[in-house]
Coordinates of all heavy atoms in Angstrom, one line a residue:
G17 N 73.2 116.9 122.7 CA 73.3 117.6 121.4 C 74.1 116.9 120.4 O 74.6 115.8 120.7
F18 N 74.3 117.5 119.3 CA 75.1 117.0 118.2 C 76.6 117.1 118.5 O 77.1 118.1 119.1 CB 74.8 117.7 116.9 CG 73.5 117.3 116.3 CD1 72.4 118.2 116.4 CD2 73.3 116.1 115.6 CE1 71.1 117.9 115.9 CE2 72.0 115.8 115.1 CZ 71.0 116.7 115.2
Y19 N 77.4 116.2 118.0 CA 78.8 116.2 118.1 C 79.5 115.6 116.8 O 78.8 114.7 116.2 CB 79.4 115.6 119.3 CG 79.1 114.1 119.4 CD1 80.0 113.2 118.9 CD2 77.9 113.6 119.9 CE1 79.8 111.8 119.0 CE2 77.6 112.2 120.0 CZ 78.6 111.3 119.5 OH 78.3 110.0 119.6
A20 N 80.7 115.9 116.5 CA 81.4 115.3 115.4 C 82.9 115.4 115.6 O 83.3 116.3 116.4 CB 81.0 116.0 114.1
G21 N 83.7 114.6 115.0 CA 85.1 114.6 115.2 C 85.9 113.7 114.3 O 85.4 113.1 113.3
L22 N 87.2 113.6 114.6 CA 88.1 112.8 113.9 C 88.7 111.7 114.8 O 88.8 111.9 116.0 CB 89.3 113.6 113.3 CG 88.9 114.8 112.4 CD1 90.1 115.6 112.1 CD2 88.2 114.3 111.2
S23 N 89.1 110.6 114.3 CA 89.7 109.5 115.1 C 90.9 108.9 114.3 O 90.9 108.9 113.1 CB 88.6 108.4 115.4 OG 88.2 107.8 114.2
A24 N 91.8 108.3 115.1 CA 92.9 107.6 114.5 C 93.5 106.6 115.5 O 93.5 106.9 116.7 CB 94.0 108.6 114.1
G25 N 93.9 105.4 115.1 CA 94.4 104.4 116.0 C 95.0 103.2 115.3 O 95.3 103.3 114.1
K26 N 95.2 102.2 116.1 CA 95.9 101.0 115.7 C 94.8 99.9 115.6 O 94.0 99.7 116.5 CB 97.0 100.6 116.7 CG 97.7 99.3 116.3 CD 98.8 99.1 117.3 CE 99.5 97.7 117.0 NZ 100.0 97.7 115.6
A27 N 94.9 99.1 114.5 CA 94.0 98.0 114.3 C 94.8 96.7 114.3 O 95.9 96.6 113.8 CB 93.3 98.1 113.0
S28 N 94.2 95.6 114.9 CA 94.8 94.3 114.9 C 93.7 93.3 115.1 O 92.6 93.6 115.5 CB 95.8 94.2 116.0 OG 95.2 94.4 117.3
G29 N 94.0 92.0 114.9 CA 93.0 90.9 115.0 C 93.5 89.6 114.4 O 94.6 89.4 114.1
D30 N 92.5 88.8 114.1 CA 92.7 87.5 113.5 C 91.8 87.4 112.2 O 90.7 87.8 112.2 CB 92.3 86.4 114.5 CG 93.2 86.4 115.7 OD1 94.4 86.5 115.5 OD2 92.6 86.4 116.8
F31 N 92.4 86.7 111.2 CA 91.7 86.5 110.0 C 91.6 85.0 109.7 O 92.6 84.3 109.8 CB 92.5 87.2 108.8 CG 92.0 86.9 107.5 CD1 91.0 87.7 106.9 CD2 92.4 85.8 106.7 CE1 90.6 87.5 105.6 CE2 92.0 85.5 105.4 CZ 91.1 86.4 104.9
D32 N 90.4 84.5 109.4 CA 90.2 83.0 109.2 C 89.6 82.8 107.8 O 88.7 83.5 107.4 CB 89.2 82.4 110.2 CG 89.8 82.4 111.6 OD1 91.0 82.4 111.7 OD2 89.0 82.5 112.6
Y33 N 90.2 81.9 107.0 CA 89.7 81.5 105.7 C 89.1 80.1 105.9 O 89.8 79.2 106.3 CB 90.8 81.5 104.7 CG 90.5 81.0 103.3 CD1 89.8 81.8 102.4 CD2 90.8 79.7 103.0 CE1 89.5 81.3 101.2 CE2 90.4 79.2 101.7 CZ 89.8 80.0 100.8 OH 89.4 79.5 99.6
T34 N 87.9 80.0 105.5 CA 87.1 78.7 105.8 C 86.5 78.2 104.6 O 85.9 79.0 103.8 CB 86.1 79.0 106.9 OG1 86.7 79.5 108.0 CG2 85.4 77.7 107.3
I35 N 86.6 76.9 104.4 CA 85.7 76.2 103.4 C 84.5 75.8 104.1 O 84.5 75.1 105.1 CB 86.5 75.0 102.8 CG1 87.8 75.4 102.3 CG2 85.6 74.3 101.8 CD1 87.8 76.3 101.1
I36 N 83.3 76.3 103.6 CA 82.1 76.1 104.2 C 81.8 74.5 104.3 O 82.0 73.8 103.3 CB 80.9 76.8 103.5 CG1 81.1 78.3 103.6 CG2 79.6 76.4 104.0 CD1 80.1 79.1 102.8
G37 N 81.4 74.1 105.4 CA 81.2 72.7 105.7 C 82.4 72.0 106.4 O 82.2 70.9 106.9
E38 N 83.6 72.7 106.4 CA 84.7 72.1 107.1 C 84.6 72.5 108.6 O 84.0 73.5 108.9 CB 86.0 72.7 106.5 CG 86.2 72.3 105.1 CD 86.6 70.8 104.9 OE1 87.1 70.2 105.9 OE2 86.4 70.3 103.8
S39 N 85.1 71.7 109.5 CA 85.0 71.9 110.9 C 85.9 72.9 111.4 O 85.7 73.5 112.5 CB 85.2 70.6 111.6 OG 86.5 70.0 111.4
S40 N 87.0 73.2 110.7 CA 88.0 74.2 111.2 C 88.5 75.0 110.0 O 88.3 74.6 108.8 CB 89.2 73.4 111.8 OG 89.8 72.6 110.9
P41 N 89.0 76.2 110.3 CA 89.5 77.1 109.2 C 90.6 76.4 108.3 O 91.4 75.7 108.8 CB 90.0 78.3 109.9 CG 89.4 78.3 111.3 CD 89.2 76.8 111.6
Y42 N 90.6 76.8 107.1 CA 91.6 76.3 106.1 C 92.9 76.8 106.5 O 94.0 76.1 106.5 CB 91.2 76.6 104.7 CG 92.1 76.1 103.7 CD1 92.2 74.7 103.4 CD2 93.0 76.9 102.9 CE1 93.0 74.2 102.4 CE2 93.8 76.4 102.0 CZ 93.8 75.1 101.7 OH 94.7 74.6 100.7
F43 N 93.0 78.1 106.9 CA 94.1 78.7 107.5 C 93.7 80.0 108.3 O 92.6 80.5 108.1 CB 95.2 79.1 106.4 CG 94.8 80.2 105.5 CD1 94.8 81.5 105.8 CD2 94.3 79.9 104.2 CE1 94.4 82.5 105.0 CE2 93.9 80.9 103.3 CZ 94.0 82.2 103.7
S44 N 94.6 80.4 109.2 CA 94.3 81.6 110.0 C 95.6 82.4 110.1 O 96.7 81.9 110.1 CB 94.0 81.2 111.5 OG 92.8 80.4 111.5
E45 N 95.4 83.7 110.1 CA 96.5 84.6 110.2 C 96.2 85.8 111.0 O 95.0 86.1 111.3 CB 96.9 85.2 108.8 CG 97.6 84.2 107.9 CD 98.0 84.8 106.6 OE1 98.4 86.0 106.6 OE2 97.8 84.1 105.5
E46 N 97.2 86.5 111.5 CA 97.0 87.8 112.3 C 96.9 88.9 111.3 O 97.6 88.9 110.2 CB 98.1 88.0 113.3 CG 98.1 87.0 114.4 CD 99.1 87.3 115.5 OE1 99.9 88.2 115.2 OE2 99.1 86.6 116.5
I47 N 96.2 89.9 111.6 CA 96.2 91.1 110.8 C 96.6 92.3 111.7 O 96.4 92.3 112.9 CB 94.7 91.4 110.2 CG1 93.7 91.5 111.4 CG2 94.4 90.4 109.2 CD1 92.3 91.8 110.9
D48 N 97.2 93.3 111.0 CA 97.8 94.4 111.8 C 97.8 95.7 110.9 O 98.1 95.5 109.7 CB 99.2 94.1 112.3 CG 99.7 95.1 113.2 OD1 99.2 95.2 114.4 OD2 100.7 95.8 112.8
G49 N 97.6 96.8 111.5 CA 97.7 98.1 110.7 C 97.1 99.2 111.4 O 97.2 99.3 112.7
K50 N 96.5 100.2 110.7 CA 96.0 101.4 111.3 C 94.6 101.7 110.8 O 94.1 101.1 109.8 CB 97.0 102.6 111.0 CG 97.2 102.8 109.5 CD 98.1 103.9 109.3 CE 98.4 104.2 107.8 NZ 99.1 103.2 107.1
S51 N 94.0 102.6 111.5 CA 92.6 103.0 111.2 C 92.4 104.5 111.5 O 93.0 105.0 112.4 CB 91.6 102.2 112.0 OG 90.3 102.7 111.8
Y52 N 91.7 105.2 110.6 CA 91.4 106.6 110.8 C 90.2 107.0 110.1 O 89.7 106.3 109.1 CB 92.6 107.5 110.3 CG 92.9 107.3 108.8 CD1 92.4 108.1 107.8 CD2 93.8 106.2 108.4 CE1 92.7 107.8 106.5 CE2 94.1 106.0 107.1 CZ 93.6 106.8 106.1 OH 93.9 106.6 104.8
G53 N 89.5 108.0 110.6 CA 88.2 108.4 109.9 C 87.5 109.5 110.6 O 88.1 110.3 111.4
I54 N 86.2 109.6 110.4 CA 85.4 110.7 111.0 C 84.2 110.0 111.7 O 83.9 108.8 111.4 CB 84.8 111.6 109.9 CG1 84.0 110.9 108.9 CG2 86.0 112.4 109.2 CD1 83.3 111.8 107.8
Y55 N 83.6 110.7 112.6 CA 82.4 110.2 113.3 C 81.5 111.4 113.7 O 81.9 112.6 113.7 CB 82.8 109.5 114.6 CG 83.5 110.3 115.6 CD1 82.8 111.0 116.6 CD2 84.9 110.5 115.7 CE1 83.4 111.8 117.6 CE2 85.5 111.2 116.6 CZ 84.8 111.9 117.6 OH 85.4 112.7 118.5
G56 N 80.3 111.1 113.9 CA 79.3 112.1 114.4 C 78.1 111.4 115.0 O 77.8 110.2 114.7
G57 N 77.4 112.1 115.9 CA 76.3 111.5 116.6 C 75.5 112.5 117.4 O 75.7 113.7 117.3
Y58 N 74.6 112.0 118.2 CA 73.7 112.9 119.0 C 73.5 112.2 120.4 O 73.3 111.0 120.5 CB 72.3 113.0 118.3 CG 71.5 114.1 119.0 CD1 71.5 115.4 118.5 CD2 70.7 113.8 120.1 CE1 70.8 116.4 119.1 CE2 69.9 114.8 120.7 CZ 70.0 116.1 120.2 OH 69.2 117.1 120.8
N59 N 73.7 113.0 121.4 CA 73.5 112.6 122.8 C 72.3 113.1 123.4 O 71.9 114.3 123.2 CB 74.7 113.0 123.7 CG 76.0 112.2 123.4 OD1 75.9 111.0 123.1 ND2 77.1 112.8 123.5

């Protein structure tokens, strides 16, 4: 059946800035923060 709800959590990862054609990223940084929202679906 159908379901819906709310979500909240922690977000993190890596960010790369690249010049196209270069073999490696111009620079890389970590990202960090939060995430929240809604969801819905059918099973």
Side-chain angles (χ1 to χ4, degrees):
F18 288 101
Y19 64 91
L22 304 174
S23 65
K26 179 176 175 58
S28 61
D30 298 311
F31 174 91
D32 295 331
Y33 174 83
T34 304
I35 303 297
I36 296 177
E38 297 290 335
S39 59
S40 60
Y42 185 69
F43 66 81
S44 297
E45 288 184 37
E46 293 184 354
I47 55 176
D48 187 71
K50 58 183 180 293
S51 173
Y52 57 93
I54 61 175
Y55 64 88
Y58 191 92
N59 284 327

